[in-house]
Amino acid sequence: MTDTANSSDHVKHASDISDTAFALLDRQGTVVAWTQAAEHLVGYSAGEVVGRSAALVLPRFGSAPTMSAYVGQCRARNGWSGETAVRHRDGRMIAVGMRISMLRGQDGAVRWLASATDVCPLSGDSVNQLVQGAILDHAPIGVSVHDLELRCTWVNDVMESHDGVSRDRRLGRRITDACLRVETEATEAMMRRVLRSGSANVHEYRTWLPTPLGEERPLAVSFSCLQGADGMPLGGCTISVDVVEGRRERERLTVLGEARSRLGSTLDVMQTGQELAELAVPLFADGVAVDLEQSVPFGEGAPIRIGSIGARLPVLRRVGVASIHRGAPESPWVRGERTLIPPASPLARALRTGRSCLEAKADTAPGGWIDGSPLLAQRMREHGMHSVMVVPIRARRVLLGMAVFIRTENPLPFQETDLLLAEELVGRAAVSLDKARRYRREHTAALALQRNLRPHRLRGGAAVEAASRYLPADIDRGVGGDWFDVIPLSGARVALVVGDVVGHGINAAATMGRLRTAVHTLADMEVPPAELLAALDDTVERLAEADADTPDRNPAVVGATCLYAVYDPVTRRCTMAAAGHPPPAIVDPRGEVTFPDLPTGTPLGIGLGTLFEATELELPEGTLLALYTDGMTETRGESIEEGMRRLGAALARRGLSLEELCDRAMAPVEAQVACDDASLLLVRTRSLGPAGIASWTLPRDETAVRRARNLTTGQLAEWGLAGLEDSMRLIVSELVTNAVRHGAGPIGLRLIRHEVLTVEVSDADPYSPRPRSARNVDEHGRGLAMVARLSRRWGTRPAHDGKVLWAEVDLAHASGR
């Protein structure tokens, strides 16, 4: 025996353990004995507490009829031991770490020892800290209570595992009578010293005591004086802790502390699962496998609720594996593989119930549950898996997966304390995994939103060749508020649009999608650029007002800029208007770069009611037109003018394809940390020569329809499109008839051969006709309905001096009748 009661180390740390408060309670929760440390903690003296209910200091005890019921409530609430609140004499509540141990006496009598310490970080590695740590944590502690004659009156079951003395042999006897060893004399001497002083101070020493198996292990033993209602000693309380086990618990708690910083270092579920496995090996497990429900890593599929699993188990995939053996040979499956779960196994039971399963002695015998997976059974038997813990990974009642802990080399089976530690570790990992799962789901949704909101391919038709690039500021989600489009219009024309919604991320992307849809709708209605921006401005204001009237919605993204242009390959003219957006870069076929003096306009949704103005330019064939957002020209340390010059210089290089020019223009932006989304739309203009266009002016009389049919027939024959003659004669007849009856001024007829065949009929009346349903007795009203059936699409658009009715017909099978 090594007595360290008077050592300098003991003196240095004696005050630490003296802060632990003890109270002895009977079955009904009446305080039987008290300590000075308890008085220091809650302010009540022994005379004020002894003989009264524990509810005086434990508010939650009031609803429990007995101590046994109270402890059961505590276990159900937060697992016992744990942090709880006690009432101070002055009425305030104090957070304490509490442990309640059941003690047994003679004839089956029961008492309870409650120990509490003010919650605070522990420091140092002294023996008294181990005792305090055992009180606060789940390490087994031995407790015995002795009377003034040093006879044992109450003891818990753990004490026997510490010194090998059974409860029946210990009760009613002094320690020197129950255990004949040299160190017992010193133990009694220490107990007498505590009783004589009446002090609540804790004294301690380290000693080697044999276990029932004959092994000697170091124990830390502390003594406290229990006082009665008169403040006089009633007896002593002895607390013993296995030093090795205490140190192991400290190591485990250290790992739990590390888990806070190590788990979830990224939002990658695979990495988090691996981190969880590696934290537990070799701390308290020889091997760990982490399996997640297959939708978790990919962010797809509905979450699985705890308790909703029926006979069909969820599909799990291995995301983490660790072992004391190189290569984890015990694991039948590697990371990424689907795992097989035997239906009658503790693994399946944990998934169905959402509760942990401890199989201290794994059933590896033939005919057991492991036979449900021959490969798993083979590995378990080959590597001597003898103890298994299964802890479900769950968060907010969602089942994420499970963690399996095994022992092979360590001969000791898993105990409840191991399961508590595993559950704590898995619980912390579950928080990180749930964040990663929700991030992955959001990321997947954002990418789906991006795919649906952005054009899959740019269709420039006969008007332009197009290429584009997009670099979001939010690289992780890949979505922002920028958008661009090339929208085919009638008459081989195209609309070019680029826009920038204020903000980044999924909210900006959602607003962008709403604006993009509005632009498509307005473009299909052939609204001119300036009028389109005015209508889009009203749309943004209405969206903001609607979102503001919905209190549970996130604030709407307010404000956007836009540039809208229409290019006609027949006239080679481009009409454009801007709403707070930078002007396009125009590179002529010689490589000269200009930025047109375009009226800037105000951003959309500002509410100033500013009129937007359009500018019309004639572009030579082969002109490069660059539409972009300010992320292309506004970078750190560079003015907007410098950014525009840099962009123009990158685009002025002749002989490069549009894709190569896109790469050159984006390279400086990609090399910097993005502070804004950057979008670039490049188009190279084309033109339609006279060979693909035929136009005539018709008189507005009864001869117009016949002449239009004949001109159309002749032109189709010249183009080798005789197979379209029947349908085109009918379409032309109906459109010209409509112009004769309802139009004004001379009638224009134009045929345009490009990717489709377009017929256009114009007149000076600005009012567009509307199709209607004709009754059986009506002589008119069926013309536009017939045009709609014969053409791939048709419509009307305003013109400078009236309107244009148009229809398109596919060129397929146009060569034969």
Side-chain angles (χ1 to χ4, degrees):
M1 178 190 68
T2 305
D3 190 339
T4 62
N6 296 319
S7 68
S8 60
D9 183 70
H10 167 76
V11 174
K12 177 180 178 182
H13 298 288
S15 61
D16 297 335
I17 196 64
S18 65
D19 292 335
T20 301
F22 295 97
L24 191 64
L25 308 154
D26 65 12
R27 283 180 180 269
Q28 284 69 42
T30 302
V31 180
V32 176
W34 196 245
T35 64
Q36 287 186 8
E39 180 178 352
H40 294 157
L41 181 63
V42 298
Y44 288 102
S45 66
E48 295 173 302
V49 174
V50 174
R52 301 183 64 179
S53 171
L56 180 66
V57 293
L58 293 175
R60 290 178 176 173
F61 182 76
S63 60
T66 64
M67 279 301 300
S68 179
Y70 174 69
V71 172
Q73 291 175 2
C74 292
R75 286 198 178 100
R77 185 169 56 245
N78 62 353
W80 203 254
S81 301
E83 185 175 319
T84 191
V86 298
R87 183 186 293 111
H88 193 274
R89 191 174 184 273
D90 60 13
R92 59 190 170 94
M93 302 303 293
I94 303 173
V96 299
M98 178 170 286
R99 182 161 188 157
I100 298 181
S101 301
M102 185 175 69
L103 310 179
R104 299 183 185 276
Q106 293 179 332
D107 300 326
V110 172
R111 289 287 186 270
W112 300 83
L113 183 74
S115 53
T117 304
D118 195 7
V119 174
C120 61
L122 300 179
S123 60
D125 58 357
S126 63
V127 175
N128 56 5
Q129 293 267 333
L130 290 173
V131 176
Q132 186 177 11
I135 293 171
L136 294 176
D137 305 320
H138 301 286
I141 63 171
V143 180
S144 62
V145 175
H146 300 79
D147 60 19
L148 294 177
E149 301 299 324
L150 304 186
R151 294 186 296 262
C152 181
T153 55
W154 307 97
V155 67
N156 72 346
D157 294 335
V158 177
M159 205 60 157
E160 181 177 354
S161 66
H162 284 182
D163 60 13
V165 180
S166 66
R167 181 172 67 248
D168 293 338
R169 183 178 174 186
R170 187 190 306 270
L171 289 173
R173 294 184 177 90
R174 292 165 45 182
I175 190 171
T176 51
D177 297 330
C179 182
L180 300 177
R181 286 195 294 270
V182 175
E183 60 270 17
T184 57
E185 295 290 343
T187 301
E188 286 199 348
M190 184 63 68
M191 296 169 66
R192 289 193 185 94
R193 189 184 311 168
V194 171
L195 293 176
R196 282 197 305 269
S197 66
S199 172
N201 291 334
V202 175
H203 300 270
E204 60 187 71
Y205 62 90
R206 301 178 67 175
T207 183
W208 291 79
L209 298 177
T211 67
L213 299 177
E215 301 174 352
E216 289 193 336
R217 306 187 66 182
L219 298 176
V221 184
S222 66
F223 307 97
S224 297
C225 180
L226 297 174
Q227 299 175 333
D230 56 2
M232 298 300 294
L234 287 179
C237 174
T238 301
I239 306 292
S240 68
V241 178
D242 188 313
V243 173
V244 173
E245 185 63 27
R247 185 177 296 114
R248 185 177 294 117
E249 289 298 315
R250 286 296 184 204
E251 292 171 353
R252 294 173 178 178
L253 291 173
T254 299
V255 170
L256 286 179
E258 293 177 0
R260 190 183 302 275
S261 59
R262 289 178 58 183
L263 284 174
S265 56
T266 71
L267 290 174
D268 187 309
V269 294
M270 296 289 287
Q271 182 171 335
T272 302
Q274 185 62 27
E275 289 170 348
L276 170 58
E278 292 174 352
L279 274 171
V281 176
L283 176 66
F284 65 97
D286 295 336
V288 178
V290 179
D291 300 329
L292 294 183
E293 195 272 321
Q294 64 175 356
S295 70
V296 175
F298 305 106
E300 299 175 349
I304 297 178
R305 299 291 174 181
I306 300 294
S308 65
I309 300 174
R312 188 172 183 178
L313 295 172
V315 176
L316 301 184
R317 293 193 181 275
R318 186 138 297 176
V319 300
V321 61
S323 171
I324 59 174
H325 301 110
R326 185 179 181 86
E330 317 95 312
S331 175
W333 302 282
V334 299
R335 296 180 71 200
E337 285 188 340
R338 177 177 174 176
T339 60
L340 179 62
I341 305 170
S345 66
L347 291 74
R349 189 162 61 251
L351 291 177
R352 291 193 179 98
T353 63
R355 293 190 295 270
S356 301
C357 291
L358 168 61
E359 195 168 271
K361 185 177 180 181
D363 182 10
T364 58
W369 62 262
I370 65 171
D371 288 343
S373 173
L375 181 58
L376 178 61
Q378 177 187 354
R379 296 295 176 88
M380 288 187 68
R381 290 165 181 153
E382 282 181 355
H383 298 279
M385 297 185 200
H386 63 86
S387 194
V388 178
M389 294 188 300
V390 184
V391 180
I393 305 173
R394 55 190 184 183
R396 298 178 299 125
R397 293 200 59 77
V398 172
L399 179 67
L400 304 180
M402 67 179 178
V404 182
F405 304 81
I406 64 168
R407 278 185 177 170
T408 55
E409 301 298 326
N410 188 339
L412 297 177
F414 285 121
Q415 300 176 0
E416 289 293 335
T417 53
D418 298 306
L419 183 59
L420 290 170
L421 179 62
E423 289 177 332
E424 179 69 19
L425 190 62
V426 170
R428 297 189 183 189
V431 174
S432 299
L433 287 169
D434 186 48
K435 289 180 180 178
R437 176 186 69 90
R438 286 184 287 134
Y439 165 77
R440 176 58 61 181
R441 292 179 69 87
E442 181 180 340
H443 182 65
T444 301
L447 291 179
L449 182 65
Q450 178 188 25
R451 288 192 296 268
N452 292 329
L453 295 184
R454 301 195 184 281
H456 295 174
R457 64 186 182 92
L458 301 175
R459 296 182 299 152
V464 296
E465 175 191 2
S468 64
R469 291 291 186 275
Y470 171 63
L471 181 66
D474 189 351
I475 294 294
D476 290 334
R477 290 178 174 83
V479 168
D482 287 7
W483 89 94
F484 50 81
D485 255 318
V486 178
I487 306 172
L489 302 177
S490 64
R493 300 168 307 132
V494 291
L496 310 173
V497 59
V498 63
D500 184 0
V501 174
V502 174
H504 315 293
I506 195 168
N507 288 334
T511 301
M512 173 269 287
R514 298 159 88 176
L515 296 186
R516 180 174 181 258
T517 300
V519 170
H520 268 265
T521 301
L522 295 170
D524 288 342
M525 294 171 63
E526 302 279 1
V527 179
E531 296 178 28
L532 182 143
L533 291 182
L536 196 61
D537 184 37
D538 292 338
T539 299
V540 175
E541 288 191 50
R542 288 197 303 271
L543 290 177
E545 292 172 359
D547 289 341
D549 292 337
T550 309
D552 58 343
R553 281 182 66 103
N554 291 328
V557 178
V558 179
T561 65
C562 184
L563 174 67
Y564 184 81
V566 174
Y567 174 70
D568 187 343
V570 176
T571 63
R572 293 184 287 102
R573 302 195 68 82
C574 184
T575 305
M576 58 185 70
H581 204 85
I586 300 177
V587 186
D588 65 20
R590 298 187 305 273
E592 295 184 6
V593 182
T594 59
F595 291 88
D597 187 12
L598 187 66
T600 304
T602 59
L604 303 171
I606 301 301
L608 299 180
T610 306
L611 295 178
F612 298 97
E613 300 180 42
T615 298
E616 187 174 81
L617 303 171
E618 184 173 343
L619 304 177
E621 183 176 5
T623 297
L624 181 66
L625 195 62
L627 283 68
Y628 56 91
T629 58
D630 53 12
M632 291 292 300
T633 55
E634 295 182 11
T635 58
R636 291 187 176 92
E638 185 181 53
S639 67
I640 297 178
E641 291 75 15
E642 290 173 334
M644 294 172 68
R645 285 194 294 270
R646 169 178 48 77
L647 175 62
L651 299 176
R653 179 77 176 271
R654 300 174 63 184
L656 298 181
S657 68
L658 292 186
E659 295 293 336
E660 291 171 326
L661 289 173
C662 281
D663 291 339
R664 281 175 55 87
M666 291 297 294
V669 181
E670 294 173 340
Q672 301 186 36
V673 177
C675 56
D676 196 3
D677 302 332
S679 293
L680 176 65
L681 172 63
L682 294 185
V683 298
R684 183 170 281 133
T685 62
R686 296 166 175 161
S687 65
L688 286 176
I693 304 170
S695 59
W696 306 273
T697 300
L698 307 175
R700 192 170 165 271
D701 58 26
E702 64 277 3
T703 66
V705 175
R706 183 178 68 254
R707 186 179 178 189
R709 285 199 299 262
N710 293 336
L711 291 171
T712 299
T713 299
Q715 189 63 54
L716 291 177
E718 182 180 335
W719 282 343
L721 302 178
L724 300 178
E725 181 180 329
D726 293 341
S727 59
M728 284 298 296
R729 285 173 62 89
L730 289 172
I731 292 173
V732 168
S733 296
E734 295 300 333
L735 294 181
V736 173
T737 298
N738 189 282
V740 170
R741 292 177 177 172
H742 307 292
I747 299 172
L749 172 64
R750 184 167 72 168
L751 299 178
I752 305 173
R753 180 185 179 184
H754 51 111
E755 292 182 324
V756 295
L757 178 63
T758 300
V759 55
E760 297 179 344
V761 176
S762 61
D763 67 80
D765 188 348
Y767 296 102
S768 300
R770 295 287 183 268
R772 61 186 178 89
S773 299
R775 296 172 300 176
N776 292 334
V777 297
D778 291 341
E779 296 182 3
H780 305 290
R782 299 179 179 86
L784 294 180
M786 182 180 296
V787 171
R789 287 195 297 271
L790 294 174
S791 61
R792 66 190 298 268
R793 63 174 189 150
W794 75 278
T796 180
R797 69 174 185 266
H800 293 297
D801 53 357
K803 68 176 180 296
V804 176
L805 268 73
W806 56 269
E808 293 178 352
V809 178
D810 287 321
L811 295 178
H813 310 296
S815 59
R817 292 182 179 275

